[in-house]
Amino acid sequence: MNAQSKREMTNLEPRPSSSQAGGLRPGDEYLRSLNDGRAVYMDGQLVKDVTRHPAFAASARSAARLFDTAADPSLRERMTFVSPSSGNPVLRAYQIPRTHADLKAKRLASETWSEGSFGMIGRTPDHVAGFFTGYAAVPEVFAAGGQQFADNVVGFYEHLRENHLWATYAIVPPQIDRSKPAHKQTDPTLYAGVVKERDDGIVISGAQQLATAGVLSDYLYLSCIHPLQPGDENYAIGVALPMNAPGMKLYPRRSFALQAANSFDYPLSSRFDETDCFVVFKDVFVPWEHVFIYRNTQVCRDQWWRTPSHAYGNLQAQARYATKLRFMMGLAKRMNEMTGNDAHPQVQVQMGEMAAQVQLVESMLEAQETRATIDAKGVVWPCAKSLYAIMALQSEMNPRMIDMIRELTGAAMISLPSSLQDLESPETAGDIERYMRSANSDARSRIALMRMAWDFIGTEFGNRSQQYEKFYGGASFLVKQNMYRSYDFARGTAMVDAALNLPPEL
Ligand SMILES: Cc1cc2nc3c(=O)[nH]c(=O)nc-3n(C[C@H](O)[C@H](O)[C@H](O)COP(=O)(O)OP(=O)(O)OC[C@H]3O[C@@H](n4cnc5c(N)ncnc54)[C@H](O)[C@@H]3O)c2cc1C
């Protein structure tokens, strides 16, 4: 067993003790909190404890490391800021930026977290934290439905912030029949919506997709980002639910961690399978203080676009994507070095094209900060044009990058032994060591790299990851509409008009 997998087995990573954590939530405390009776179903069975189930245990440990990183005293400045209410260090993700430097600091904290999974975990706690921070920055949007809703959303944001909590979200209706609005489905309780109002709160039934990291989170935010129509008021809600809310069931997709025989052959699937959960609600009660939007299609829409929520959440998504692209370039470079193709001019041209795309993403990330604007209340809004430009291109750029890596590697990711055991069996080890090495490395190191590349590109984990890059921010036709709304067409049309009105020269 190599040192890496030994560490996996024994969990020997240094962790901050509770006293060093400065009141932040260390990973072991987070792990204990997951065993709270949440209803997660896998293969038709209720999962008793997600931290012990093989489908989720390793990703829960990966998530726990995020909290350890945040609680690490040497990263206090990077990962936290001082709470305006308690004076304690709290997660940087919950900071409402007041300066461009604050926004950059938020991005750097997201980068540190994303580096912990090489960009593989998309919905780290800072993603939905960005949305709630955006809501708390402009609560007037929620007050349009009644001041109590603005107070509720700010109160809940503070609860998340002060307790270092992780919320995920399910904001897309199930794909049952998209040709009809929510209220015209064959059964009005198919899409998640209000079925009853009580003095002390509301009752929700129906289903919503797709709570990535739902199994690993503390809270679910249930709302709707799809356009709603008159008559859809029951579905125009924004509510927070603890993951163990009675009546709420999580149906995670097939686990890739379960298919990973070991961390050598499946280095990414075995560690970073964040799970995507379909969520079903059966008469789930929500107390009023956790209701932020109630039967209001306008507020339901405005929460995304008239607050900086979508921009803060997706700043994290882009910081994470840039990290993943850097990792992708590192993989490609190491593979070229191993096969001895690195100096080939044509290979360098391909690598140069890929590097140009990665640099584009990194520069657009910085442009969201440097071109950010400050509103009348002093809140910094990332530059929407820079954000949506890169999100709009991502769904086409990512498959092109993946295809170029496939091209660069030929059969390198396939002409490998069936598993780690071939390297260890005396009957096969000799052949493997002799023929599967490269000029500059032994067989074990070469196979480890190629297995990682295959897990990145070709396994179910790798393919889901590509689906994620296409859809995490909505289908690309929607993202392009965001870009359309953000772009300043007037500057271009003014030039065209001026050109048409030039005085005659001839
Ligand atoms: C891996 C993964 C993780 C995700 N994580 C989350 C999460 O954490 N939380 C969450 O809420 N959601 C999440 N999502 C869901 C995501 O938000 C949706 O998949 C996304 O919004 C697209 O919606 P849809 O899947 O319903 O696709 P649809 O809206 O059904 O679109 C599918 C395709 O149909 C075509 N199409 C449909 N309507 C039109 C139209 N009007 N005009 C033109 N073409 C059209 C397009 O080709 C489009 O790409 C995740 C999705 C994936 C794949």
Side-chain angles (χ1 to χ4, degrees), residues 23 65 105 119 181-182 232 287 290-291 306 339 362 368 379 399 427-428 454 499:
R65 278 179 211 117
D232 284 342
H290 283 173
V291 178
R306 292 193 181 277
T339 37
E362 295 204 12
Q368 288 166 56
V379 173
E427 257 185 85
T428 49
W454 186 243

Side-chain angles (χ1 to χ4, degrees), residues 480-494:
K480 285 174 183 165
Q481 285 172 1
N482 293 343
M483 186 64 211
Y484 181 86
R485 284 197 304 271
S486 309
Y487 189 71
D488 177 11
F489 289 100
R491 200 168 168 190
T493 52

Side-chain angles (χ1 to χ4, degrees), residues 123 127-128 168-175 178 208-214 221 223 225-226 253 274-277 464-478 481:
R123 299 289 198 236
H127 182 71
V128 175
T168 185
Y169 58 15
I171 55 173
V172 178
Q175 289 169 309
R178 291 285 174 77
Q208 198 81 327
Q209 65 185 53
L210 180 65
T212 297
Y221 180 50
S223 190
I225 197 167
H226 268 213
R253 56 150 168 76
E274 62 187 324
T275 78
D276 307 292
C277 302
R464 175 268 173 197
S465 177
Q466 288 162 49
Q467 202 70 3
Y468 182 82
E469 302 307 349
K470 248 189 194 314
F471 282 105
Y472 77 83
S476 73
F477 73 91
L478 288 171
Q481 285 172 1

